[in-house]
Amino acid sequence: MGRRPDLMQLKSQVEWALHCCTVLAALPRGQYLSTKALAEFHGVPKEYLSKALQSVSNAGLVTSTLGPSGGYRLARSAEKITVLDVVQAVEGDGLTFVCNEIRQNNPCRPDGYCDKRSCPIARVMWQADKAWRDVLRGVTLANLGETIEAEVPGDLLQASFAWLPRGK
């Protein structure tokens, strides 16, 4: 699917963090995956992925450990981490639309005119932002894992997890 320049663009790190967290959700208890393994598996630059994982770690969604068997794992169960949690860890939790009240620049507005309501454009954009967040809040990493298991052939899933150097 090609990129559409007319759509809102999130950082690539959001996609990377979501994919990595979904993989981490499938790890057996007590195991970790290194940034190197996750970067190689997803074909993304390790240095930039490391920044995304650090953001997710700072938000308390993943934990990390150092050493030869170090890496990342989820900090809590996949049922308790939503897509919105991951998006906000990387992007922040600010609104996606900021109204700068440019309607006040209208040269036809009388001096001292006071709007009784917020800008109608801002209201619809804030409504859309809320709807978007509600959808992301309603999907957990566990839900994503279930969808992946249902849609990806079992042999591909097995090969993928065999490829990932667990615990390294």
Side-chain angles (χ1 to χ4, degrees):
M1 180 180 232
R3 293 181 82 172
R4 296 211 23 219
D6 57 335
L7 296 177
M8 175 179 70
Q9 295 287 308
L10 297 173
K11 295 175 188 168
S12 295
Q13 292 177 352
V14 169
E15 178 185 9
W16 302 349
L18 284 166
H19 277 278
C20 289
C21 285
T22 303
V23 168
L24 295 176
L27 282 180
R29 188 177 180 95
Q31 290 195 345
Y32 292 81
L33 276 176
S34 70
T35 305
K36 181 178 185 275
L38 289 164
E40 287 177 6
F41 183 75
H42 291 107
V44 299
K46 179 183 168 206
E47 297 75 24
Y48 292 115
L49 178 61
S50 185
K51 288 174 67 176
L53 291 172
Q54 187 63 45
S55 295
V56 176
S57 179
N58 290 341
L61 304 178
V62 298
T63 60
S64 62
T65 185
L66 299 173
S69 62
Y72 288 93
R73 65 172 290 98
L74 293 185
R76 54 186 186 258
S77 73
E79 292 83 10
K80 294 184 179 176
I81 300 174
T82 69
V83 172
L84 183 62
D85 293 331
V86 178
V87 170
Q88 288 180 332
V90 176
E91 287 281 337
D93 60 359
L95 293 172
T96 56
F97 178 80
V98 176
C99 180
N100 293 303
E101 282 290 339
I102 67 168
R103 66 183 174 163
Q104 293 180 14
N105 298 335
N106 181 341
C108 301
R109 288 171 64 102
D111 286 343
Y113 179 80
C114 181
D115 295 297
K116 293 182 180 12
R117 299 182 72 185
S118 60
C119 172
I121 293 169
R123 287 194 313 263
V124 74
M125 294 301 290
W126 293 332
Q127 182 181 8
D129 184 78
K130 181 186 178 316
W132 177 75
R133 289 173 191 277
D134 287 346
V135 168
L136 299 181
R137 188 179 291 110
V139 179
T140 66
L141 293 179
N143 299 139
L144 286 177
E146 291 166 2
T147 302
I148 290 168
E149 284 183 26
E151 294 181 5
V152 176
D155 58 337
L156 178 55
L157 283 176
Q158 286 180 332
S160 297
F161 274 94
W163 186 92
L164 284 164
R166 293 188 185 182
K168 295 182 181 171

